[in-house]
Amino acid sequence: MKTSRSAWLTATAIVGVLSATGALAATGSSAVYDVIIEHGTVFDGTGSPGQSTDIGVIAGRIAALGDLHGVAARQRIDASHLYVAPGFINVHDHSTPEGLPTALNMLTQGETTAILNPDGYGEPDLAKQLTDLAKPGMALNIGAYSGFNAIWEETVGANDVRPTPAQIAAMRGHLEKDLEQGAWGVSAGLDYKPAYYASADEVVSVVSAASKWRTNFPNHDRLRSETGYSSRLGVAETIAIASAAGLSPEITHIKAQGREQGRAAEILDQMHQATANGHFSTGDVYPYTAGMTGLFSFTVPGWAQEGGIDEMLKRFKNPDLRAKIVANAEGALDARFGGPKGVYLPMSRRQLVDVAKAEGVSSGEALLRVMEKGEFVGVFTFGSEDDVRTFLRDPAVSITCDCGADLETRTHPRLYGTYPRILGRYVRDEHVLSWAEAIRKLTGLPASSLGMVDRGFIAPGMAADIAIFDPATVIDHATYENPTALSDGIRFVLVNGTVELSDGKPTGAKAGTVLLRSEHMPTRPMNVAGHGASSLAGVPLRSKTGQPAKLSLDIAQTVDGKAVGSVTLADENNHVLLSARALGPLQLGERWMSVTGWAASPVGQSFTLIIDRGNPRQPGKGAIVLEIGSGERYSGEIVE
């Protein structure tokens, strides 16, 4: 259906906050809630200070905020002296099929949503990957990127060869298919082989297929020996590739490595300059100065890794090649990780320097010997605490963990401790961040960077993904020597309105679901200041079954940042199908807006509304999409 454009008012920024509408007015006085969370201090994910209020949940969605004392509920959670936040969203998640059904290590950190296939990894068929993961049930929500590395290796192989035009076309087609199937962006790990062999121009030629999807390009920066393993140059390449491809750069687990420690501010300046130049850029960081990866990944030169691990091990046996590999490995260890003292072997629980000393060999030779005996994973110290704090403070940097739901026991402490470490150490104890800002970086900011519209905030109509924690006790206990020690302080976690963690113990509910991105969900800045407004009257829509309806709305932001107004949907006979005054955040982007809410009549139900007038895939016309909690979907067009 088409109509001429009605009144349309926008501003340059948004505030997503709790509706001013009273709780009972939002749902009707006879409402029975599935869950009521009462007496807690609620941080809504926007960066606003916490407020004392109750939260009512119906059918997996937030139905009301306010005083719910005495209101009927099937389950009540007493959050007295606790903080209530949106569930934490991990934009860099390495969850395994074995870990997702229980997700103990992530639920006890407050995570509710995992975005898989970071660093460019993935499966040939994204839809099948997500379906297979969901079959046994999941304790977390999952989404996924399309992985450049996986696409490159599948098409070009493991050798350092140039792709043909036909292969470039095939890779572009694979990426487009993934986006059609709901991918949340295109990730890459250009520091990992064989994607390492791709030139910047070749990467652009592939990932630019995603440009019209208005999505992001999270990349593990490529550090080259010939440039001194410079983090700054690696970040510059990520920004250049994404900008040339028409994507938003995301600096994956942003860091200032080795010899460039202390230069975090310069790296952030690069990111900010890209945004100023029109290429909205973000980063993500985890609160450790060491990471975990393959022992060979960043130490063995690219030419020696060509063809895969088996071919690499064959080269180790050639005395001339071995000497070159050892020399390169020692240079990389010195430049990136402060020498061999920065390498820990979690599988055998040894330090690399101790291995070298025991065998009377150099650090590079010791590294090769460890791999020849079948140990391929290492923990590498790369950075400084001062740099971590600098990255944490930056408003455009989300907090992630570079981890996921997993049953592995010899691993990195980030798998069990990241988010409680942030909240306990960097917020409560060291005051690096405020509670409100840390929670924003775990929730609203990553949601906006991904393009999500109905998660990341506590507000009417939003999915009831909620983490409840004790600010006085939350802390991590996992160490490199004991990496699976559970954190303290995360008391309750709800996923889609179902309690997955109760008083610190998993319930086994498996309420997680697969989250898919549509073309109407752009990556965008999270604006938390200013005001906005929108007004439409009688815009024709049609349901999935072809039933006509008319949409009217009149929404504005108040001076204190609350969304107020109304959204109404009526059928062709003017019978009200949906009437809402309890609104979630009014999210605004370039020629784009979205709002969630709870409709009190004719029956209580949630809704998510998107009005998209800037979609490059549909030039010259705008789309309206209204999803109602009952499963009904209405859509229409606005033509200039």
Side-chain angles (χ1 to χ4, degrees):
M1 298 292 294
K2 299 181 179 181
T3 184
S4 60
R5 177 186 169 198
S6 297
W8 178 271
L9 305 174
T10 59
T12 59
I14 70 163
V15 182
V17 289
L18 308 182
S19 171
T21 305
L24 297 183
T27 59
S29 59
S30 62
V32 176
Y33 294 92
D34 295 322
V35 181
I36 287 179
I37 302 167
E38 55 189 355
H39 310 312
T41 299
V42 176
F43 292 84
D44 63 9
T46 67
S48 297
Q51 297 182 357
S52 178
T53 189
D54 301 335
I55 302 172
V57 176
I58 297 177
R61 296 276 164 167
I62 295 171
L65 296 136
D67 183 359
L68 297 177
H69 174 73
V71 180
R74 297 179 179 88
Q75 182 176 7
R76 305 185 86 89
I77 297 174
D78 184 359
S80 299
H81 310 297
L82 304 180
Y83 286 175
V84 184
F88 304 154
I89 298 171
N90 186 8
V91 300
H92 192 106
D93 195 283
H94 289 281
S95 288
T96 65
E98 298 78 19
L100 279 169
T102 55
L104 171 67
N105 66 309
M106 302 314 299
L107 289 175
T108 51
Q109 294 191 63
E111 180 176 312
T112 57
T113 295
I115 305 300
L116 310 178
N117 300 345
D119 295 325
Y121 295 107
E123 301 291 337
D125 188 330
L126 184 139
K128 183 177 184 301
Q129 176 192 9
L130 295 175
T131 298
D132 289 348
L133 287 171
K135 281 180 181 177
M138 304 175 298
L140 305 174
N141 303 311
I142 62 168
Y145 297 112
S146 178
F148 172 81
N149 293 42
I151 293 172
W152 180 276
E153 185 166 10
E154 178 190 25
T155 307
V156 182
N159 294 321
D160 187 2
V161 296
R162 307 279 53 79
T164 65
Q167 288 173 321
I168 293 289
M171 289 187 280
R172 289 176 61 89
H174 189 151
L175 172 54
E176 291 182 44
K177 178 183 175 183
D178 285 351
L179 291 166
E180 292 281 359
Q181 293 179 340
W184 288 92
V186 50
S187 75
L190 298 183
D191 219 6
Y192 293 100
K193 290 69 179 179
Y196 181 90
Y197 306 134
S199 71
D201 287 343
E202 289 166 348
V203 179
V204 171
S205 67
V206 175
V207 302
S208 59
S211 62
K212 290 186 177 181
W213 288 80
R214 296 173 293 177
T215 189
N216 61 348
F217 178 70
N219 176 44
H220 180 116
D221 301 321
R222 175 163 49 188
L223 277 60
R224 297 182 181 276
S225 60
E226 56 268 31
T227 61
Y229 299 104
S230 168
S231 292
R232 293 175 299 111
L233 293 179
V235 169
E237 183 184 51
T238 295
I239 292 172
I241 288 172
S243 300
L247 304 174
S248 291
E250 167 125 0
I251 314 305
T252 289
H253 35 61
I254 190 169
K255 55 178 68 76
Q257 293 194 43
R259 293 171 183 163
E260 290 193 335
Q261 288 181 25
R263 306 183 76 168
E266 295 178 42
I267 291 172
L268 289 169
D269 284 345
Q270 292 177 270
M271 196 174 76
H272 299 156
Q273 187 59 53
T275 296
N277 291 338
H279 305 291
F280 170 58
S281 301
T282 58
D284 59 71
V285 65
Y286 56 81
Y288 297 91
T289 58
M292 187 174 76
T293 191
L295 283 174
F296 54 86
S297 297
F298 308 142
T299 57
V300 174
W303 59 265
Q305 293 189 48
E306 189 174 358
I309 291 178
D310 289 343
E311 293 300 314
M312 178 186 73
L313 291 174
K314 289 178 183 178
R315 294 185 182 100
F316 287 1
K317 297 183 183 300
N318 182 309
D320 292 335
L321 296 181
R322 188 182 189 93
K324 294 179 181 179
I325 294 169
V326 165
N328 186 283
E330 292 176 352
L333 288 173
D334 289 342
R336 298 185 69 157
F337 310 115
K341 66 180 183 298
V343 183
Y344 174 66
L345 307 171
M347 298 298 109
S348 59
R349 296 177 178 171
R350 300 177 293 170
Q351 298 288 341
L352 182 62
V353 290
D354 294 336
V355 175
K357 183 178 180 180
E359 300 192 14
V361 296
S362 69
S363 58
E365 175 63 27
L367 189 72
L368 269 59
R369 291 188 182 189
V370 168
M371 288 187 279
E372 287 175 322
K373 293 177 182 177
E375 190 169 356
F376 290 100
V377 176
V379 172
F380 295 84
T381 298
F382 59 77
S384 73
E385 277 288 338
D386 286 344
D387 285 335
V388 168
R389 292 181 178 89
T390 298
F391 289 129
L392 282 174
R393 291 187 184 101
D394 190 87
V397 174
S398 298
I399 296 167
T400 186
C401 74
D402 196 6
C403 68
D406 202 335
L407 303 182
E408 178 59 61
T409 59
R410 299 191 178 187
T411 185
H412 192 292
R414 63 194 180 196
L415 271 76
Y416 283 77
T418 296
Y419 304 136
R421 182 178 178 85
I422 288 288
L423 298 171
R425 178 178 180 178
Y426 291 96
V427 178
R428 181 189 61 231
D429 297 342
E430 298 185 4
H431 308 291
V432 174
L433 297 169
S434 68
W435 291 109
E437 179 63 2
I439 289 168
R440 183 185 77 88
K441 287 171 166 286
L442 289 162
T443 59
L445 178 59
S448 300
S449 298
L450 286 165
M452 291 182 175
V453 293
D454 63 349
R455 293 170 202 268
F457 302 98
I458 290 181
M462 287 279 168
D465 293 345
I466 298 172
I468 305 171
F469 64 92
D470 186 341
T473 64
V474 65
I475 197 64
D476 63 309
H477 297 298
T479 64
Y480 295 103
E481 294 74 24
N482 184 20
T484 60
L486 291 174
S487 298
D488 280 334
I490 305 295
R491 295 284 303 282
F492 297 89
V493 174
L494 281 70
V495 177
N496 298 309
T498 297
V499 178
E500 286 281 4
L501 192 78
S502 179
D503 203 19
K505 305 296 183 184
T507 66
K510 297 182 181 179
T513 190
V514 172
L515 306 180
L516 303 177
R517 178 185 181 274
S518 82
E519 64 181 311
H520 302 300
M521 298 162 67
T523 289
R524 59 194 180 274
M526 180 190 167
N527 300 308
V528 292
H531 64 279
S534 181
S535 178
L536 294 172
V539 178
L541 304 180
R542 284 194 180 274
S543 71
K544 289 185 291 187
T545 58
Q547 297 300 310
K550 294 181 292 184
L551 174 72
S552 298
L553 64 94
D554 188 4
I555 306 172
Q557 297 280 24
T558 62
V559 292
D560 59 355
K562 295 182 178 181
V564 296
S566 64
V567 176
T568 304
L569 185 73
D571 66 16
E572 57 187 341
N573 296 316
N574 290 322
H575 294 145
V576 174
L577 303 174
L578 178 147
S579 178
R581 289 185 175 275
L583 304 178
L586 177 57
Q587 303 183 73
L588 297 178
E590 185 176 354
R591 297 169 57 81
W592 177 93
M593 67 151 282
S594 177
V595 67
T596 63
W598 186 266
S601 63
V603 295
Q605 56 188 331
S606 64
F607 71 90
T608 302
L609 172 66
I610 298 173
I611 301 178
D612 185 2
R613 297 171 57 245
N615 186 0
R617 302 184 77 233
Q618 296 179 334
K621 58 184 179 182
I624 300 179
V625 179
L626 177 65
E627 301 274 359
I628 300 176
S630 60
E632 190 63 89
R633 181 179 188 272
Y634 291 83
S635 59
E637 293 180 0
I638 299 176
V639 179
E640 298 293 337

